[in-house]
Amino acid sequence: IDAIYDFYFVLETLYSGGKTKNAAVKAEFLRSPEVLSAIAATLPSINQIPRVAPEEHAYIAEHYAGKMPKDIVEHFVSLRGFLHHHVPGHPRPWHPEGHSRYRIDAFIVQEVAYNICMAMFVEIAMSPQSERAYCTITELETVSQPPSAEGS
C-alpha cells in the first residue's frame, strides 16, 4: 500500500495540477499525454510481473488486461481514494495485514512512474546543453590527467 502511495504521488505531484478531488485528478491525468503514454508503455509489461499467483491473474484480467490508458487512470485514482479513505463499513475494506492484495497495483503504478521519470531524465540527459556540458567535462578531465608512467 505504501508503494502505491509513493508511486501514485509521483503522478499526482507532476500531473494533477494541484487538484485533490478524484474527479479533478482524473480529468488532469486524462489531459496529460505523458501519463497516458506512460500507461500505454506499461501495459505490455504486465505479463512480466514476477511470481504471479492464480488469484492475481484474475485481478490482472479484471483491472488491467485489454484496458485502455483512460481505464487505468480511473482504476489508479479510485484505488488511491479507496486506500486513503479507509471505511470499515465498506463491503471489502482493506486490512493492514492484507497489503499483498495490492501487489499487482504496486508493480504497475511503479512502472508507470518509472516510465515518466525515465522520459524526463532522457529529455534532460540527451539535450544539446547536456551534451555540451559532458564534452566540456571530458575535455577538462583529459587535460588535467597526469602523464602516464609508461611514457617516462
Side-chain angles (χ1 to χ4, degrees), residues 61-139:
E62 180 181 349
H63 296 285
Y64 293 104
K67 303 289 184 182
M68 301 298 293
K70 67 180 184 61
D71 302 318
I72 307 303
V73 165
E74 171 75 32
H75 177 66
F76 283 175
V77 175
S78 297
L79 178 64
R80 189 271 180 191
F82 169 71
L83 294 173
H84 184 72
H85 302 289
H86 187 274
V87 180
H90 191 279
R92 291 193 64 210
W94 64 266
H95 189 279
E97 293 176 1
H99 62 90
S100 63
R101 173 174 155 194
Y102 304 100
R103 188 178 86 89
I104 297 299
D105 295 303
F107 271 110
I108 295 171
V109 176
Q110 171 190 355
E111 186 71 16
V112 171
Y114 170 83
N115 286 334
I116 286 170
C117 292
M118 184 54 83
M120 293 170 74
F121 167 77
V122 167
E123 183 178 335
I124 294 167
M126 301 304 179
S127 70
Q129 298 91 334
S130 293
E131 185 177 351
R132 283 192 299 277
Y134 175 77
C135 289
T136 301
I137 291 167
T138 56
E139 286 173 13

Side-chain angles (χ1 to χ4, degrees), residues 50-60 103-104:
R51 298 178 303 282
V52 176
E55 65 275 7
E56 291 175 325
H57 284 291
Y59 188 86
I60 290 168
R103 188 178 86 89
I104 297 299

Side-chain angles (χ1 to χ4, degrees), residues 34 46 68 91 96 151:
E34 294 87 357
I46 290 173
M68 301 298 293

